[in-house]
Amino acid sequence: MAIQMSSELLDGCVLAILDKEDYYGYALTQRVQGTISVSESTLYPVLRRLKNNQFVTTYDQPFQGRNRRYYQITAQGRDKLTSIRQDWVMFQANVDTLLKER
Amino acid sequence: MENYLAELEQLLHQLYQSDKEEAMNFYREYVMDADLTTYQQCIAELGTPKHLSRKILADYSIKADDRSAEHSNSKNPRSNIRLIWWIALALLASPLALPIFIVLITLVAVCFAIVAALSAIIIAFSLISVGLVIIGFGVLLQSLWTGLYYIGCGLLIFGIMMTTIPAVIGLLRWLIDKTAQLSKAIYQRFTNKKQLQQEDK
C-alpha cells in the first residue's frame, strides 16, 4: 500500500487499542502489525510520545519472574482519541469527496 | 540475545541514564515476549543493534531539538552538531541513503571550507596589522609622520578585524543551524520514504 501512516494517526490507533484494554509492548506491536504494516521499532517512539504527553500511563505487572510494563489510557488520552477520531472523519470525508469526483 | 541487548545498551550511552533505562527495559521485555533467543533472531526482528540504536538516538535528538526550539529560538550550536552527527549516522545505517549522506557530507564540508577561509583571512589581516604597528614604531624615530601613518593603518585594520570576528562567529552559527535543519528535513523525508517502501512489499 502506497499510503502511509502519519504519526498523529498512529497515536490515534494506539490510543484506540488501549481504550479497549491495557497492553504490554510486544502484544501491542503485534496487535498493530496485525492490521497495518509498521516496523517493529516504530512503536517505542509512539508510546514514549504518548506517555510524555500524559495520554497514557504505565504500570508493571510480574510475569514469569520478570516485569511486564502495561500501558493504560488516561482521561486526557480519551479526549485526545475523541479529537483524533473527529479529525479523521473530517479528513476521510474530504478525501472521499475528491476521490469520488468524476 | 544477551549480547544483542548488551550491544544496544553500549550504543545508547549518549542518552541520559533514565532514557537509556527506559528504552532498554522496553526492548528487553520485547525480546523476551517475542521469544527471540538468538542474536540472529533479534537482528531479523529488530535490525542490527547499531541500526536500532541509531533509530532510537535520532528520535531522541529530534525530539530534544523540537523541545529546545519551543523554549528559545537561539539553538546551541553544539547540540546542532550532535544532531547532524546522529542523523548522518542514522542515514549511514541504511545503504539506500548513501547518496543523501554524500550530499549532506558535501554540504557540511563546503560550509566548513567557507568558515576556514574566512578565519584564515582574519588571521592574515590581524598579523598584517600587528606587523604594520611594529614597523610604525620602528620608523617613528626616523620619520614621525611615516611612523604614525603605519601605526594608524595597522590599528585601522586591527579594528576592522575585531568587528568582523563576531560577524563570522554569527555566520558559523547560522551555517550549523541551517545544516541541522536541512539534515532534519532529509531525515524526516527519508524515514517517510522508507515506510512507503515497507508498505509496498
Side-chain angles (χ1 to χ4, degrees):
Chain A
M1 200 168 77
I3 299 171
Q4 65 173 57
M5 239 10 212
S6 76
S7 62
E8 185 81 357
L9 274 179
L10 205 51
D11 288 4
C13 292
V14 170
L15 286 175
I17 294 169
L18 292 177
D19 196 30
K20 296 270 175 288
E21 59 179 298
D22 302 348
Y23 273 87
Y24 57 92
Y26 178 67
L28 186 68
T29 310
Q30 293 292 98
R31 179 80 179 73
V32 174
Q33 282 183 329
T35 314
I36 52 173
S37 80
V38 292
S39 94
E40 280 74 9
S41 48
T42 315
L43 265 291
Y44 179 64
V46 173
L47 287 168
R48 211 169 66 85
R49 181 169 60 232
L50 290 174
K51 195 180 175 187
N52 283 346
N53 291 323
Q54 284 157 15
F55 296 143
V56 301
T57 55
T58 58
Y59 60 91
D60 291 340
Q61 229 170 45
F63 172 81
Q64 295 185 348
R66 60 189 170 92
N67 270 336
R68 258 181 186 164
R69 174 152 293 184
Y70 280 79
Y71 294 82
Q72 184 176 39
I73 194 167
T74 62
Q76 276 166 286
R78 290 208 169 85
D79 292 344
K80 179 73 182 166
L81 177 57
T82 312
S83 96
I84 293 178
R85 275 181 174 145
Q86 283 164 355
D87 288 351
W88 171 246
V89 169
M90 285 271 287
F91 184 81
Q92 198 183 17
N94 292 340
V95 173
D96 276 347
T97 314
L98 288 174
L99 283 180
K100 285 170 185 164
E101 215 153 72
R102 278 164 201 267
Chain B
M1 165 191 100
E2 275 309 316
N3 290 343
Y4 184 90
L5 290 171
E7 231 173 283
L8 181 65
E9 183 156 16
Q10 248 177 8
L11 290 164
L12 293 179
H13 69 94
Q14 291 130 307
L15 289 183
Y16 289 118
Q17 191 63 27
S18 58
D19 287 339
K20 189 172 80 176
E21 216 109 282
E22 220 184 292
M24 283 311 296
N25 283 339
F26 183 89
Y27 281 109
R28 190 172 294 125
E29 188 192 305
Y30 188 98
V31 161
M32 283 178 156
D33 285 328
D35 236 354
L36 306 172
T37 43
T38 68
Y39 192 82
Q40 285 310 318
Q41 280 175 323
C42 289
I43 287 180
E45 178 96 359
L46 295 166
T48 63
K50 243 178 205 164
H51 194 102
L52 185 60
S53 75
R54 280 166 191 174
K55 233 179 141 164
I56 296 171
L57 290 177
D59 179 60
Y60 268 91
S61 172
I62 285 167
K63 287 280 159 49
D65 188 53
D66 284 345
R67 227 177 291 138
S68 73
E70 278 165 26
H71 287 311
S72 69
N73 283 329
S74 73
K75 287 177 214 154
N76 179 1
R78 193 172 294 174
S79 76
N80 273 338
I81 291 173
R82 211 180 305 146
L83 178 72
I84 295 167
W85 177 238
W86 279 348
I87 287 173
L89 288 180
L91 288 177
L92 202 60
S94 165
L96 282 170
L98 212 59
I100 301 172
F101 180 72
I102 292 169
V103 170
L104 200 63
I105 284 289
T106 316
L107 274 174
V108 173
V110 168
C111 290
F112 281 93
I114 292 170
V115 171
L118 285 176
S119 320
I121 291 170
I122 287 179
I123 291 169
F125 271 103
S126 304
L127 286 178
I128 290 173
S129 67
V130 173
L132 281 175
V133 172
I134 292 170
I135 292 172
F137 273 109
V139 181
L140 205 57
L141 292 177
Q142 290 158 21
S143 158
L144 182 65
W145 302 119
T146 320
L148 283 180
Y149 174 72
Y150 276 121
I151 293 172
C153 284
L155 289 179
L156 179 68
I157 295 173
F158 191 71
I160 291 172
M161 285 310 121
M162 285 300 113
T163 44
T164 350
I165 287 173
V168 172
I169 292 173
L171 181 71
L172 179 64
R173 272 169 180 271
W174 183 81
L175 278 176
I176 293 174
D177 209 50
K178 288 293 156 206
T179 318
Q181 280 178 16
L182 181 74
S183 43
K184 214 167 102 177
I186 290 174
Y187 174 77
Q188 269 156 6
R189 183 157 305 174
F190 168 69
T191 44
N192 287 346
K193 222 189 265 167
K194 220 170 94 186
Q195 276 169 9
L196 271 182
Q197 280 160 351
Q198 275 178 348
E199 275 156 35
D200 278 339
K201 274 177 206 165

